[in-house]
Amino acid sequence: MDIPTKKKSYDLWQGGCFGNKLRTWNSREEILDAGYTGTLSIRYKGNAGGGFVRYEVPIEEILAVEEEWVKKGARKELITFNESAPDRFLTIQGEVMILAGYGYALYYATTPAKMRDALRREGKQVYGLTAKMLLEGTMTPSSFADLGALLEQHPDSVVEFSTYSICLGDIPGRNTVIWEVRNY
């Protein structure tokens, strides 16, 4: 199944279709109702989402970020929130897909930094058994099985992920968060 837009990917992600994820909300009110008090990542579900992302935002700054983004053309209903990831525990992050003739194709970084920065600074590309062994060696068995199921369900898609040295997210026994499954 192809996922042709960022909005579709986010909707599936928030609905739990990609497996393990951090807690997510669609509004400041939902965050407050949940009693969450930590920092947040704020993202944009629109296809031009790359320009609208903020990390480690305190709850009291949400309204200012929303206002700034709306002034720049964002639609408030396409803004989404998730609890901040514990990046100090990152072990590997990147993008993986299945390529005919190669098997796994993995573009990754091991620096505990925001994914865009880490991949830009030290991104490495590996294929086949090397990629599979790297993933299998860093993910819990359950996380690796979840990744395999996603790649089977979405054989032409790219899966964006982060793996940590601790278990986290909304499904026990997982140390990997899937951020996107996409064909855009």
Side-chain angles (χ1 to χ4, degrees):
M1 173 175 86
D2 281 358
I3 301 173
T5 67
K6 188 174 233 23
K7 181 174 183 336
K8 179 70 172 172
S9 181
Y10 271 112
D11 289 345
L12 290 168
W13 175 68
Q14 283 187 301
C17 295
F18 300 158
N20 193 41
K21 66 177 180 56
L22 300 176
R23 290 175 285 181
T24 62
W25 304 275
N26 286 310
S27 69
R28 180 177 176 276
E29 292 72 28
E30 286 182 15
I31 297 164
L32 295 173
D33 287 347
Y36 181 75
T37 58
T39 61
L40 300 152
S41 292
I42 307 176
R43 303 171 189 277
Y44 191 63
K45 297 181 195 179
N47 279 338
F52 295 114
V53 64
R54 264 317 145 74
Y55 303 103
E56 304 289 334
V57 178
I59 291 171
E60 56 273 9
E61 294 178 20
I62 291 173
L63 295 176
V65 172
E66 286 179 325
E67 187 176 291
E68 174 191 333
W69 289 6
V70 168
K71 284 181 183 175
K72 291 179 179 178
R75 292 178 25 213
K76 188 173 178 178
E77 68 273 11
L78 294 179
I79 296 173
T80 187
F81 309 87
N82 63 267
E83 66 181 301
S84 292
D87 288 344
R88 67 189 177 281
F89 296 111
L90 270 167
T91 58
I92 187 171
Q93 59 184 328
E95 301 175 340
V96 63
M97 63 186 297
I98 301 296
L99 282 181
Y102 292 94
Y104 287 91
L106 172 65
Y107 184 60
Y108 75 98
T110 56
T111 300
K114 300 303 174 207
M115 188 179 302
R116 273 189 209 150
D117 297 335
L119 290 174
R120 191 177 306 120
R121 281 196 307 253
E122 67 147 270
K124 297 176 185 91
Q125 183 77 54
V126 292
Y127 298 93
L129 188 57
T130 302
K132 181 182 181 199
M133 290 179 70
L134 187 56
L135 294 167
E136 199 168 20
T138 55
M139 295 178 173
T140 62
S142 298
S143 289
F144 186 71
D146 292 345
L147 175 64
L150 272 176
L151 289 168
E152 190 173 309
Q153 184 179 8
H154 304 278
D156 299 319
S157 299
V158 173
V159 176
E160 185 180 299
F161 71 95
S162 295
T163 299
Y164 301 83
S165 61
I166 60 170
C167 289
L168 73 166
D170 61 353
I171 304 176
R174 272 56 175 188
N175 69 335
T176 300
V177 172
I178 303 299
W179 298 108
E180 289 185 19
V181 177
R182 65 178 186 269
N183 299 86
Y184 49 89

